[in-house]
Every structure is written in structure tokens, then in C-alpha cells.
Amino acid sequence: MARQKFLDAAIRLFARHSVAGTSLQMIGDELGVTKAAVHHHFRSREDLLAAVVEPVRVGLRETVLAAEALRGRHARAERALTGFVAVVLGNRELLPVLTGDPGAAELLGSHPDLGDLTRRLTNLLAEVDPDPGPGGHIRADVVLSGIACAAGPRSHGADPAILRGHLLDTGRRALGLRTRKGS
Amino acid sequence: MARQKFLDAAIRLFARHSVAGTSLQMIGDELGVTKAAVHHHFRSREDLLAAVVEPVRVGLRETVLAAEALRGRHARAERALTGFVAVVLGNRELLPVLTGDPGAAELLGSHPDLGDLTRRLTNLLAEVDPDPGPGGHIRADVVLSGIACAAGPRSHGADPAILRGHLLDTGRRALGLRTRKGS
């Protein structure tokens, strides 16, 4: 069985039972295979979780590196926001499920890269304000988690291009970035 | 054992194992009592969940009714936003845990009042825009879920009054409400 089938089944189960409530056994049951068959692809639960979040890690890393390479606080925050919205919309089945899931927060915090990337992304948005302080970080946190949640199941009827435009517009307003027509 | 002890234990377990991953048996184990002792206070899991969210239901209901009674789109949205931030900060152990928890979303949606109150709250914020359309609802969704998440564990070091000010300020900016000094 293809590795991707296991990852898709894991994401479906996370949405139903949360990360903490999903075992390798349940993933096997979902696909009608033995736990040993799951183990053939993933040594451990951690191994599987890392594989599930890999596209998010890659997308966030690209976004953070591209934004950090720019000059100017506004340009950096704009690049970070646009990249984050793209990562969220590219991982709509996964990211809204992870945001707010306590088991996932623990996983992301202990992941060697994801914790660091999330902190750098938050800083890029907070630093729109030259002296961000706690306010800049709270604002960045509202924007990042709000966008991730709002792209979840409740919005699944919305046209992706329209959703993208409104998520960006809301993020820019909240952060005090210039809003642009037609982007 | 006092009823409140069971509710506090349930909230602690939700944060660790999510709503779907928490059973009456686990709540009994957490408090060192039998499942029968839990059943003495709560007939079912649903009964316990309804008791846990009761303070949130009461706070949201008060907020929605007060806001709907006002004239003027901006005044209504301002009242809804201020009330929501107060409900979130009054239920900081619970609301950030519920936001994004798939089991909780199901629970809240099927709760006789909470689903309706959440929809009315979203409409009050969306209708800052005289013709809100999908954009108004997406914006409201980003603000509500972002505020609930940002008041969670990561912000637990922040002074509540400062946190309140920044959450309100971010919400007002995102929604296009006038921002006020010192509120």
C-alpha cells in the first residue's frame, strides 16, 4: 500500500479523534490492514506524525527563509503572511485540525524544526511594529491561528481564490499592513 | 465530591487528550473515584460536556442579546467583540482548548444553544460591512477563532489587562471598527 494512503488516513482520523486520540492500530483498522503493515512504513507514531506534517514544514521553511531575506519590516511581514496563507490553503485538511489540538501543539513544539519556524514566522508578523512588545506577538498570534482555523471545514464551501483574498485582507488589516486591490 | 471538581478535571483532561479522547472513566481516574461516582453527578458524557460549557453559553448569550439590542452596525459589532473577549478571558482554561478541537466543534454545533449563539455572534461581527457576503463571515471567523486561540496557554505569562487590550485592538483593526485609546 502506498505511503500516502497512510498519511491521508491519519489526517482523516486526526479530524475525527484528535492527534492524541489516534493510534497506529486505528490507522491500520481504517485501511483494513494490520498494525504490522503500518509499522512497515512508519517505525513509530512520532515517525508517522513527522511524515504527516512534512509538507507544512517545507512550506513554512520556504516562507520564513524568503521573508527573512527581504529588507523592510512591511515587505517581510507581507511575504510571511502571503506565504502562510498559501501553506494553510495547500494543507486545508490538516492545518485547521492541528490548530488548537492540544496533542498537536505538543507535537509541533517538540518537532525539531516546526517550533523554531513558527516562532520566526510570529516574529516576522510582530515586527511590522518597530517596537513590537507583547502587543505585536499577541496580534501575530491572533492572525496566524485565526487564519488557520477559518480555512477549516466551516469554509469548505467557499471558492479558494475568494477565501485567499479575504484571509489576506483580514491579516493585513489586523497587522496594519497596506491592503492591496486584487491580490 | 463537589460537582465543580469534576468539571475542573474534565477541562484539564480535554487540554491533555482532547474532548473526543476524554471518557467519564478517565475523569474518575484523575480524581481517584469510581466511574459510578462520576455518574452520580452526570448521567452521560453529553451531560458533563454541557455542564462544562455552561459558563461559556451564559456569557455568549448575554453578549449576543446585549449586542442585538443596540442600534447601528458598529455599536453592535463593538459590543459583540468586547463581550466575546470577556467570555474568552473568563474561560481561558476552556475556550482555547475547544477552539479547533474537532470533537468540541461537533459538540458545540449540536448543542441546542451554542451553535445558534455562535452563528449570531459571527453575524454581528460580519455586519460591520453593510453588505458582508462571504468576506464578512470569513473576517468574523478569523477574528473569533484567532482571539480564542491567542488567549490560550502560550499567552499565559501575559498580564490579563494588557492581553485584553491587544485582543480588542487586533479584533477592531481586522473588522474595520474605530480603535479607541485606553479601552
Side-chain angles (χ1 to χ4, degrees):
Chain A
M1 188 173 282
R3 192 179 154 86
Q4 189 59 42
K5 279 214 191 291
F6 291 98
L7 302 181
D8 293 341
I11 295 173
R12 281 200 303 279
L13 290 170
F14 290 170
R16 234 177 288 154
H17 307 288
S18 87
V19 172
T22 302
S23 63
L24 292 186
Q25 177 72 60
M26 288 162 77
I27 295 169
D29 292 348
E30 171 85 3
L31 294 168
V33 303
T34 62
K35 195 174 159 189
V38 187
H39 265 297
H40 178 70
H41 290 273
F42 307 99
R43 274 171 312 161
S44 64
R45 225 172 140 267
E46 286 60 44
D47 200 23
L48 170 86
L49 291 174
V52 168
V53 297
E54 181 60 12
V56 173
R57 189 193 70 78
V58 169
L60 286 185
R61 190 177 153 75
E62 205 178 281
T63 293
V64 166
L65 292 179
E68 287 176 349
L70 295 176
R71 285 192 180 197
R73 295 178 285 106
H74 282 246
R76 291 155 64 93
E78 173 66 29
R79 179 69 186 81
L81 178 67
T82 317
F84 179 70
V85 169
V87 173
V88 167
L89 291 179
N91 296 274
R92 276 177 91 178
E93 301 305 325
L94 177 62
L95 260 189
V97 166
L98 291 186
T99 310
D101 182 319
E106 217 169 283
L107 158 74
L108 302 181
S110 69
H111 188 287
D113 278 359
L114 277 174
D116 174 55
L117 289 171
T118 308
R119 274 184 295 277
R120 285 157 71 184
L121 187 66
T122 307
N123 287 340
L124 284 159
L125 297 190
E127 285 159 12
V128 172
D129 190 334
D131 181 16
H137 286 88
I138 293 166
R139 200 147 49 224
D141 221 8
V142 172
V143 168
L144 293 174
S145 44
I147 287 174
C149 283
R154 276 167 305 183
S155 71
H156 278 190
D159 179 297
I162 290 178
L163 182 59
R164 177 178 178 276
H166 289 303
L167 293 176
L168 283 174
D169 174 67
T170 308
R172 288 185 187 125
R173 286 194 198 203
L175 295 167
L177 290 169
R178 272 171 294 277
T179 56
R180 300 175 190 178
K181 292 249 165 180
S183 70
Chain B
M1 186 173 283
R3 192 179 153 86
Q4 188 59 42
K5 279 216 191 290
F6 290 98
L7 302 181
D8 293 341
I11 294 173
R12 282 200 302 280
L13 291 170
F14 289 169
R16 235 177 287 153
H17 306 288
S18 86
V19 172
T22 301
S23 62
L24 292 186
Q25 178 72 59
M26 288 163 78
I27 294 169
D29 292 348
E30 171 86 4
L31 294 169
V33 302
T34 62
K35 195 175 158 189
V38 187
H39 266 296
H40 178 70
H41 288 273
F42 306 97
R43 274 171 312 159
S44 65
R45 225 172 140 268
E46 285 62 42
D47 199 24
L48 169 87
L49 292 173
V52 167
V53 296
E54 182 59 12
V56 173
R57 189 193 69 79
V58 169
L60 287 186
R61 189 177 154 74
E62 203 177 283
T63 294
V64 166
L65 292 180
E68 287 176 348
L70 295 176
R71 284 193 179 197
R73 296 177 286 106
H74 282 246
R76 290 155 65 95
E78 173 66 31
R79 179 68 187 79
L81 178 67
T82 317
F84 179 70
V85 169
V87 172
V88 168
L89 292 179
N91 295 276
R92 276 177 91 178
E93 301 305 324
L94 177 62
L95 260 188
V97 165
L98 291 187
T99 309
D101 182 320
E106 215 169 287
L107 158 75
L108 302 182
S110 68
H111 187 288
D113 278 0
L114 277 174
D116 173 57
L117 289 171
T118 308
R119 273 185 294 277
R120 285 157 72 183
L121 186 67
T122 307
N123 287 339
L124 284 159
L125 298 190
E127 285 159 11
V128 172
D129 190 333
D131 180 17
H137 287 88
I138 293 165
R139 199 148 50 226
D141 221 9
V142 171
V143 169
L144 293 174
S145 45
I147 287 174
C149 283
R154 277 168 304 181
S155 71
H156 279 189
D159 178 296
I162 290 177
L163 181 59
R164 178 178 178 276
H166 290 302
L167 293 176
L168 282 175
D169 174 66
T170 308
R172 287 185 187 125
R173 286 194 198 204
L175 294 167
L177 290 170
R178 274 172 292 277
T179 55
R180 301 177 189 176
K181 292 251 164 177
S183 70

